[in-house]
Amino acid sequence: MHRGVAVPLYLDIHNVPGAGADDLRRAHEADMAVQSRHGVDYKKYWHNEKCGKVFCLVDAPSREAAIRVHEESHGLRPEKMIEVDPDLVEGFLGGGDDDHGAALLPGTHTGERDPAIRSVMFTDIVGSTEMAQRLGDDVAMALLSAHDDIVRRAVTGHNGRVIKHTGDGIMAVFLSSFHAVKAACEIQGAVGGLEEDERRPAFQVRIGAAAGEPIERDNDFFGSTVNLAARLCARADPGTVLVTSGIAEMCLGKGMRFSELREATLKGFDEPVRTRQVVITC
């Protein structure tokens, strides 16, 4: 099936503790055997064995049609189904897959399967250039050091990975959207709790995050998901965390709160992107 503008793209999430690679391969093949009758195209899947979850990427005219394929083929209904922004298709389809539709871990040549999509997060110190010019390089470095310490502690504390500095911020990647949001909240809480001193003035941070399957190369990440996370960071208000609606939906039932859905027009994306602001309570 070729994607058309009228066919949504979904990511469904199954809770399958104890399932093995052969079980998932057979389930995916069963989906493919009946999907054409429902106008559905199950593209590939990720298996996070540690968490006992499977993520399936699917073209379907509706959520109901995609679920009917699962019900008819093997009876396993997803616990969640998230509509993915069409502009992120390439991000989700990046990387390879094996002959059975299982996503492979990018950057490997051993056929190791990819456990899940990634959540990419960017931080940005608000007004850092102006503060450096006004207060001097020593103060700017003290400010940057405080930011880096807070971000690194939060990222590693929530099973994330710091990828690189971006001048006045940091890029990090998480396997869990929930952990990405928790880390972002922790960063904002820690920055807001810093006491101003002579060496370093008070400062604010903006944070943006998006989920997808970015391309990994040479210890860095590239692609639409990365670009979107950076755009969301630039769009976020000082002291806030702005995420895609997909990240918010992946946090359902986990105690996180988000603002009402809004659409944002972002540079480099043809269609408005659905966003949610995190209600920071942590």
Side-chain angles (χ1 to χ4, degrees):
M1 177 188 296
H2 296 285
R3 279 192 57 78
V5 294
V7 181
L9 181 68
Y10 296 98
L11 185 75
D12 70 22
I13 305 171
H14 297 263
N15 187 25
V16 288
D22 289 340
D23 299 322
L24 300 177
R25 174 181 56 79
R26 286 192 291 268
H28 185 68
E29 290 174 348
D31 286 334
M32 295 177 67
V34 304
Q35 63 185 10
S36 62
R37 295 202 288 268
H38 301 277
V40 170
D41 181 14
Y42 272 94
K43 294 182 172 296
K44 63 179 179 179
Y45 62 90
W46 296 260
H47 182 205
N48 189 324
E49 188 172 2
K50 181 178 179 180
C51 296
K53 292 186 181 294
V54 173
F55 303 80
C56 304
L57 191 66
V58 54
D59 263 326
S62 67
R63 287 179 172 85
E64 292 74 19
I67 292 172
R68 281 197 297 271
V69 170
H70 281 330
E71 290 177 332
E72 183 176 335
S73 60
H74 47 64
L76 298 175
R77 290 175 59 90
E79 60 176 330
K80 295 179 185 176
M81 180 164 283
I82 302 164
E83 185 173 352
V84 181
D85 194 308
D87 284 331
L88 300 182
V89 170
E90 291 303 319
F92 279 102
L93 294 181
D97 52 70
D98 67 11
D99 292 338
H100 308 296
L104 301 179
L105 191 64
T108 68
H109 303 283
T110 60
E112 185 177 357
R113 297 187 177 192
D114 195 331
I117 59 177
R118 271 78 169 156
S119 291
V120 180
M121 182 184 79
F122 280 88
T123 68
D124 176 64
I125 301 173
V126 178
S128 60
T129 301
E130 184 275 332
M131 282 192 285
Q133 293 177 343
R134 177 166 52 88
L135 301 174
D137 290 341
D138 289 343
V139 173
M141 289 306 298
L143 184 153
L144 185 62
S145 178
H147 162 273
D148 291 354
D149 288 345
I150 289 171
V151 173
R152 289 181 182 278
R153 186 164 56 248
V155 169
T156 57
H158 291 281
N159 301 316
R161 173 181 163 197
V162 172
I163 302 302
K164 62 183 178 182
H165 277 272
T166 59
D168 50 6
I170 279 178
M171 173 186 170
V173 170
F174 300 80
L175 286 178
S176 162
S177 292
F178 173 67
H179 286 160
V181 174
K182 289 289 287 184
C185 289
E186 184 174 307
I187 291 166
Q188 293 293 18
V191 170
L194 283 177
E195 294 185 2
E196 187 172 356
D197 60 36
E198 294 180 355
R199 295 189 312 107
R200 176 196 43 74
F203 64 96
Q204 290 183 298
V205 171
R206 53 170 60 93
I207 300 175
E213 191 187 6
I215 299 167
E216 183 174 6
R217 180 180 300 167
D218 298 329
N219 296 317
D220 202 350
F221 286 82
F222 306 89
S224 298
T225 304
V226 176
N227 295 337
L228 178 56
R231 296 296 185 200
L232 290 174
C233 181
R235 175 61 64 91
D237 292 329
T240 69
V241 181
L242 189 63
V243 303
T244 58
S245 60
I247 281 188
E249 291 193 43
M250 289 183 198
C251 293
L252 287 174
K254 297 182 179 180
M256 306 303 300
R257 295 172 55 204
F258 299 86
S259 67
E260 292 297 318
L261 181 71
R262 293 187 178 182
E263 291 191 340
T265 301
L266 303 175
K267 183 179 179 181
F269 293 86
D270 294 335
E271 300 293 332
V273 175
R274 289 163 292 186
T275 68
R276 305 281 294 272
Q277 184 172 301
V278 180
V279 177
I280 299 174
T281 58
C282 46

